[in-house]
Amino acid sequence: MAEKSTGSKKSTDKTVKSPSKRNVKTTKAKPRKKAAKMPSKHSTLQRIKQRILKTIWNLFWKGSLACIVMVAFYVVYLDAKITRQFEGNKWQLPVQVYARSMTFYPDQYLSEDEVLWELKRLNYSHVNRLNRTGQYVQQGRTIKVHRRTFNFHDGAEQAQIFTLNFAGKKLASIVGQDGRRVKSARLEPVQIARIGNESNQDREFVPLDKFPNILKQALLVVEDRDFYEHHGVSLWSIMRAFYTNIKVGRTVQGGSTLTQQLAKNFYLTRERSIVRKINEAFIALILDYRYSKDEILEAYLNEVYLGQAYNQGVHGMGLAAEFYFAKPVDELEFDQIALLIAMVKGPSYYNPRRYPERVRERRDLVLRLLVESGHITTNEFRAALARPIKIQSLKNSLHKSYPGYLELVDRELKRLLPNQEIIHAGVRIFTYFDLQKQTAMEDAIREGLPYLERRFKTKQLETAMVAVNVEKGGVSALAAGRDVRFSGFNRVLDTKRNIGSLVKPAVYLTALEQPQYNLGTLLEDAPLQVTDEAGDTWTPENFDHKFRGSMPLFRAFSRSINIPVVNLGLDIGVHNVANSLTKLGFEGHVSRYPSLLLGALELSSFDVAQIYSTLARNGEYSKLTSISAMTNALGKVIYEHQVDAEKRFSDDASYMTKYGLKRVTKDGTARRLNAHFPSIQLAGKTGTSNDLRDSWFAGFDHNTVTVTWLGRDDNRPTGLTGASGALELYIRYLKPLNPQAIADNRPSDIRWAFVNEKTGKQAPPSCGKVIQLPVRVSEFEPRPKC
């Protein structure tokens, strides 16, 4: 039993134990199962890592896509901007102002010296044999010229060769290149000014084919040898430039391509930053994709910055050639081309006016690169090295030349072209400006005023001079004051002074228009009192306070006697004299008082020039102007001056008045002219205001009317009469020129007759003191009695 019990217990124990083992296993298995479900540190980090990487990847591809889209939009924007600017008007071209063009025709009154002066001013080279444009050969009285190509206002003319043959004081003939005589020829005009725009950039656009090949080759050798191979940006150029600079020991080449430089200059600022460099690369790639290499090179050659002319930046090789060497870019020598290429690296650092030695060193380096690359020969290299650096003086810059004349041009320009947008679109203005007359005028002022101040012990003299082309009515020279380079108050246009005796020709002309008056008419020179309607008394006097009794009109005219002209003016009516002044061209108000007869009228020098131009043109009025023509950027004529002469006085009265003005220079108040120019018939009139405050002279030869005023800005007395002051400047002005005698074009209704000076009647040559005078045919007596 016991054994059974024990056995049973064992059995029971086994039975119990068995499930308990299973239970234990089960119990142990459960914690293991739970351990498998709980993540370990490693697996958690892995999952976090995966999530982060997935998030980063999502952000990356989405960000990349967004960046691509943004870059695409930016490239499209850049492309539109680049295309719009590159294909439109790339630059605001300045207004270009030109002097008159020297024109030649057979039998022209012209000297060799005048032609040579003009050629020198145009910077033509004197050579023994012509081989290119911009050269001339002089042999005896023959000048052979190779004229440059030029776009005149009436059409473009290609370069041509012609020969000028002189005989006596005239141009005898003009022979073309083929040996045949031609009717006319002309030189290109001198550019006298470039009127800038708001961008403060100045340039002369030159097409690519007009640049010399050596200049293009030199630019590529120094700045971008692989220009025609790369696509706007070149890593190889950067590496090679780096190597070359290390080898030489200093910076001689840049890593940026020409396209990148164009992108920087044309579209970007000079800011140094990564963003600008990226923009520069983008723009360069777009430019290279959009446009041909030649188009990019042409834009670069016209855009590159090469210095400063006062407040205007000098851009482009074309303008730089003019600015530094005063010649077109296609006439530059090798050394001059090398100098311009040398300046590309840094126009301020390599400024030839300030650092000639520094520039020479860089120029020579450019020449060395050219000879090493085979673009010039060894002999050419040595010759170029030996040439000194000759730079045009900044004083000759067009930005500071002839301010008085340019003020007149500017006033007319605003009247003719009120649309300023048109003016800043490359307008070219052709004027009547004559450089030889202007130079003579400036020299006369510079030397004459100090001389007058010393001789007459006066000081602070000021002046105004203006010259007018008689045929065209074009203003050919103008000096607005003593300081001819001062850009300020214009005394020719804005100073109005009492004209004194300059009014007298208007009085005599008015009288000679009436049949009862002629040059022999006797006028009374005796004490005179004039009482006006208000009861005021005016007592005119002669300059010398003397009286001469009766005297012929021509004598009172030439000697500028006051009382006779007052008597004459009162007889014909002061209002008629005032009307004549208006007909002669004065547009202001004329007070009709008796004192008008002695010049109590304030006019500017320009007003006087208008009046005397009508006298010189035999009574034909033509409004004065400075502008002969204008063209737009495409060469189309947008304005051309038409000479509309209006006949306002009769031929016979004009001829007799002109005779009186000739007598003034022969034996009258301006007889000093006859002493200096005895073989040349000139005409003119002196004028002096009260208390010697104003000294005037208005004179003319066959071609030109010139008016001279002398005075002080404070209106104090100068101590000068018209004969002692203004006439002195006129003589000095005329001497270096080639004045032509006034032609005696006698009208058909005028005859020459002998007139007795005491009776004023026609008489035989042997009848007392007689003089030969022009008279009307209706008054002419074939057989006058003594």
Side-chain angles (χ1 to χ4, degrees):
M1 291 288 295
E3 289 178 5
K4 282 185 182 178
S5 296
T6 303
S8 175
K9 187 177 182 180
K10 286 180 181 180
S11 175
T12 303
D13 288 342
K14 286 181 183 179
T15 303
V16 172
K17 191 175 182 181
S18 192
S20 92
K21 282 183 181 180
R22 284 196 298 270
N23 289 341
V24 169
K25 285 181 181 179
T26 304
T27 303
K28 286 181 180 179
K30 282 181 182 179
R32 284 178 188 162
K33 194 173 183 183
K34 284 179 184 178
K37 286 181 181 178
M38 288 179 62
S40 64
K41 268 187 180 184
H42 180 70
S43 61
T44 301
L45 288 174
Q46 276 190 329
R47 277 196 292 271
I48 292 172
K49 216 176 194 183
Q50 288 174 354
R51 288 195 193 102
I52 291 173
L53 289 173
K54 186 175 182 181
T55 302
I56 290 173
W57 170 249
N58 288 335
L59 290 173
F60 174 76
W61 74 262
K62 289 177 182 179
S64 298
L65 182 60
C67 287
I68 290 170
V69 171
M70 289 174 64
V71 169
F73 274 112
Y74 184 63
V75 169
V76 170
Y77 161 76
L78 277 181
D79 181 66
K81 178 183 176 182
I82 292 166
T83 304
R84 182 173 62 254
Q85 189 169 348
F86 201 89
E87 295 180 1
N89 292 324
K90 296 184 182 68
W91 307 284
Q92 279 191 340
L93 297 176
V95 176
Q96 300 175 62
V97 185
Y98 292 91
R100 64 92 180 93
S101 174
M102 179 173 270
T103 304
F104 309 109
Y105 51 88
D107 293 326
Q108 179 182 5
Y109 190 83
L110 185 71
S111 69
E112 300 102 299
D113 288 342
E114 289 179 271
V115 178
L116 294 173
W117 193 98
E118 192 81 7
L119 290 169
K120 183 179 179 180
R121 186 60 183 80
L122 285 165
N123 211 27
Y124 274 63
S125 301
H126 185 196
V127 296
N128 295 323
R129 183 179 180 182
L130 301 179
N131 53 44
R132 68 178 186 191
T133 60
Q135 297 179 333
Y136 72 93
V137 175
Q138 183 184 18
Q139 293 179 340
R141 301 206 63 190
T142 296
I143 301 175
K144 192 173 184 179
V145 182
H146 195 168
R147 198 206 66 200
R148 301 169 178 132
T149 299
F150 189 78
N151 292 327
F152 295 90
H153 79 271
D154 53 355
E157 290 187 10
Q158 296 302 313
Q160 64 177 126
I161 297 175
F162 55 83
T163 303
L164 306 174
N165 299 309
F166 294 86
K169 293 185 177 182
K170 293 185 176 182
L171 175 61
S173 64
I174 309 169
V175 179
Q177 189 172 1
D178 58 0
R180 297 180 181 180
R181 292 195 174 194
V182 296
K183 293 181 179 180
S184 65
R186 57 182 169 178
L187 293 173
E188 73 276 16
V190 175
Q191 188 178 106
I192 61 173
R194 303 174 67 83
I195 303 174
N197 48 56
E198 295 176 356
S199 68
N200 285 335
Q201 293 186 6
D202 192 7
R203 60 175 47 79
E204 177 78 32
F205 177 77
V206 180
L208 184 64
D209 59 351
K210 298 298 181 182
F211 286 104
N213 285 330
I214 186 63
L215 186 147
K216 293 180 278 190
Q217 292 163 351
L219 178 66
L220 297 181
V221 164
V222 175
E223 296 294 327
D224 192 352
R225 293 193 179 191
D226 300 321
F227 175 73
Y228 281 95
E229 280 74 44
H230 62 64
H231 298 289
V233 178
S234 173
L235 293 176
W236 171 244
S237 294
I238 296 172
M239 293 170 62
R240 188 185 58 212
F242 181 71
Y243 171 75
T244 303
N245 294 338
I246 291 177
K247 182 180 177 183
V248 176
R250 62 186 181 280
T251 304
V252 296
Q253 289 186 0
S256 295
T257 65
L258 287 186
T259 316
Q260 286 176 271
Q261 293 180 42
L262 176 63
K264 177 182 66 177
N265 297 336
F266 204 47
Y267 297 100
L268 303 171
T269 66
R270 296 186 176 274
E271 174 196 5
R272 292 177 177 271
S273 67
I274 297 296
V275 173
R276 187 190 65 75
K277 290 298 290 183
I278 293 171
N279 274 326
E280 179 185 299
F282 270 126
I283 294 172
L285 291 169
I286 293 171
L287 283 172
D288 195 85
Y289 174 77
R290 279 284 188 185
Y291 305 103
S292 69
K293 292 290 187 180
D294 285 349
E295 288 176 298
I296 294 170
L297 184 58
E298 180 184 77
Y300 182 89
L301 288 168
N302 284 285
E303 171 61 27
V304 61
Y305 173 71
L306 288 167
Q308 197 77 11
Y310 300 101
N311 66 332
Q312 294 284 316
V314 177
H315 289 259
M317 294 288 179
L319 181 60
E322 296 283 355
F323 182 65
Y324 292 109
F325 307 113
K327 60 173 64 176
V329 68
D330 58 353
E331 293 180 11
L332 295 180
E333 306 289 345
F334 289 139
D335 62 293
Q336 295 169 332
I337 288 173
L339 188 144
L340 292 184
I341 300 301
M343 291 179 64
V344 171
K345 179 174 173 54
S348 298
Y349 187 79
Y350 293 106
N351 185 334
R353 293 189 175 94
R354 297 185 63 185
Y355 310 112
E357 291 304 318
R358 183 186 294 173
V359 176
R360 172 188 278 277
E361 184 181 352
R362 173 121 182 122
R363 180 203 71 172
D364 295 350
L365 174 62
V366 174
L367 289 170
R368 192 169 294 110
L369 291 173
L370 282 174
V371 73
E372 288 174 358
S373 58
H375 290 104
I376 60 174
T377 65
T378 303
N379 289 336
E380 290 170 337
F381 168 68
R382 289 172 179 169
L385 280 181
R387 287 173 64 91
I389 293 179
K390 290 185 178 180
I391 303 297
Q392 180 184 227
S393 171
L394 193 58
K395 294 180 180 178
N396 298 328
S397 168
L398 300 181
H399 295 277
K400 291 292 182 181
S401 299
Y402 323 116
Y405 192 90
L406 293 176
E407 170 68 17
L408 175 62
V409 172
D410 186 58
R411 293 187 190 189
E412 289 193 36
L413 184 62
K414 289 175 180 176
R415 177 174 57 83
L416 296 171
L417 289 180
N419 186 346
Q420 295 295 306
E421 291 184 5
I422 296 177
I423 293 176
H424 292 309
V427 168
R428 304 170 87 210
I429 301 175
F430 297 87
T431 71
Y432 290 107
F433 187 77
D434 188 316
L435 264 172
Q436 295 189 36
K437 289 184 173 65
Q438 180 70 27
T439 302
M441 189 177 286
E442 292 179 359
D443 290 344
I445 291 171
R446 185 175 59 255
E447 298 170 4
L449 290 185
Y451 165 78
L452 290 171
E453 288 175 335
R454 289 194 306 270
R455 181 179 176 186
F456 293 96
K457 294 180 173 57
T458 186
K459 57 184 179 179
Q460 296 180 354
L461 288 179
E462 268 298 349
T463 187
M465 292 186 73
V466 58
V468 176
N469 178 287
V470 173
E471 180 186 0
K472 303 291 186 180
V475 179
S476 50
L478 187 154
R482 183 171 190 150
D483 183 356
V484 294
R485 293 292 177 267
F486 176 69
S487 181
F489 184 68
N490 195 316
R491 292 173 183 81
V492 170
L493 304 178
D494 299 322
T495 293
K496 295 184 181 293
R497 291 297 185 95
N498 190 297
I499 63 172
S501 295
L502 291 187
V503 78
K504 291 176 181 176
V507 181
Y508 289 116
L509 175 61
T510 307
L512 293 170
E513 280 279 278
Q514 303 179 25
Q516 65 268 34
Y517 294 98
N518 58 52
L519 291 170
T521 300
L522 295 181
L523 302 177
E524 190 68 21
D525 181 18
L528 176 68
Q529 281 190 344
V530 181
T531 304
D532 61 18
E533 296 176 356
D536 295 328
T537 299
W538 175 52
T539 306
E541 293 184 355
N542 292 325
F543 182 77
D544 58 3
H545 305 291
K546 297 178 181 179
F547 301 101
R548 297 161 182 80
S550 295
M551 62 191 311
L553 184 150
F554 84 89
R555 188 72 69 195
F557 192 163
S558 66
R559 296 184 180 178
S560 196
I561 311 299
N562 289 343
I563 303 301
V565 79
V566 172
N567 281 315
L568 179 64
L570 293 174
D571 288 343
I572 61 179
V574 177
H575 65 285
N576 288 324
V577 175
N579 291 338
S580 291
L581 286 167
T582 300
K583 289 168 65 178
L584 284 166
F586 178 57
E587 298 178 349
H589 173 71
V590 181
S591 297
R592 304 185 176 195
Y593 299 110
S595 57
L596 170 67
L597 303 173
L598 293 182
L601 176 67
E602 293 186 345
L603 301 182
S604 68
S605 304
F606 194 82
D607 294 330
V608 174
Q610 179 69 77
I611 289 171
Y612 274 77
S613 294
T614 305
L615 292 171
R617 286 178 63 93
N618 304 312
E620 291 184 350
Y621 166 80
S622 180
K623 186 175 178 63
L624 299 187
T625 182
S626 61
I627 299 176
S628 64
M630 286 188 285
T631 62
N632 61 18
L634 301 176
K636 181 181 178 182
V637 176
I638 56 179
Y639 168 79
E640 187 169 9
H641 175 230
Q642 301 296 331
V643 183
D644 297 323
E646 178 186 348
K647 188 70 175 175
R648 293 189 172 180
F649 297 92
S650 64
D651 287 335
D652 55 350
S654 298
Y655 183 83
M656 289 187 284
T657 303
K658 208 168 180 179
Y659 173 84
L661 290 167
K662 292 177 184 177
R663 292 303 299 252
V664 171
T665 66
K666 279 292 182 183
D667 53 21
T669 55
R671 55 186 174 274
R672 285 180 58 212
L673 267 178
N674 190 47
H676 287 279
F677 305 96
S679 62
I680 301 173
Q681 179 62 73
L682 302 169
K685 185 71 186 75
T686 57
T688 310
S689 68
N690 291 338
D691 301 323
L692 305 182
R693 297 177 188 276
D694 303 285
S695 170
W696 290 91
F697 184 74
F700 55 92
D701 63 356
H702 181 73
N703 299 311
T704 308
V705 170
T706 304
V707 175
T708 304
W709 167 83
L710 280 179
R712 286 178 51 150
D713 285 341
D714 59 11
N715 203 25
R716 292 184 178 181
T718 63
L720 300 171
T721 64
S724 63
L727 180 60
E728 174 69 25
L729 288 194
Y730 181 72
I731 291 171
R732 289 174 177 268
Y733 152 78
L734 211 57
K735 275 189 173 181
L737 301 176
N738 186 30
Q740 183 177 355
I742 298 171
D744 187 17
N745 298 319
R746 180 165 54 89
S748 59
D749 59 345
I750 289 289
R751 297 284 297 273
W752 287 92
F754 288 100
V755 176
N756 186 290
E757 290 194 39
K758 288 188 176 181
T759 65
K761 303 294 184 181
Q762 294 181 45
S766 59
C767 184
K769 189 176 182 180
V770 296
I771 185 170
Q772 197 172 27
L773 296 174
V775 299
R776 296 182 183 87
V777 170
S778 59
E779 299 173 331
F780 180 72
E781 298 177 23
R783 292 187 177 88
K785 296 180 180 180
C786 182

